[in-house]
Amino acid sequence: GPLKILSEFQMLHQIDKASVLNHEAWKEIDWVAMTRDVRDRKYGEGLPKKPKEIGVQLRFLQQRGFLIDHIKKVIKL
């Protein structure tokens, strides 16, 4: 996700956050679609119904660096 990628650029490559965020390629990424793709590959296309399932999927996506706004759109919260 975007948070994890930004962190890696900063820690491993010493590239500042502003440089990454202002790059044209970064602006063209559909993060909601990417979040959906990662969720679907792990859990299938069906949406979680039980609160426990929602929590598991939400934490999974957060650990991969996706923003909560993107996760909410994908999980339909």
Side-chain angles (χ1 to χ4, degrees):
L3 297 176
K4 192 168 187 173
I5 293 169
L6 283 173
S7 175
E8 288 183 13
F9 271 123
Q10 289 174 318
M11 289 178 16
L12 300 176
H13 305 290
Q14 287 76 40
I15 298 173
D16 65 293
K17 183 178 178 179
S19 295
V20 176
L21 294 176
N22 289 326
H23 194 280
E24 282 301 313
W26 184 268
K27 294 176 183 178
E28 294 177 11
I29 298 172
D30 184 350
W31 291 109
V32 174
M34 189 172 291
T35 305
R36 183 177 296 110
D37 183 54
V38 170
R39 194 209 72 80
D40 289 352
R41 279 188 278 145
K42 174 79 173 175
Y43 298 105
E45 292 184 18
L47 293 175
K49 293 181 176 85
K50 297 179 182 176
K52 184 177 179 180
E53 293 172 346
I54 292 169
V56 167
Q57 292 186 23
L58 191 137
R59 282 187 297 281
F60 169 78
L61 293 167
Q62 281 183 312
Q63 289 172 345
R64 273 136 190 90
F66 290 101
L67 299 171
I68 193 69
D69 291 340
H70 301 154
I71 296 169
K72 285 181 177 181
K73 289 178 183 176
V74 169
I75 297 180
K76 310 285 189 216
L77 295 179

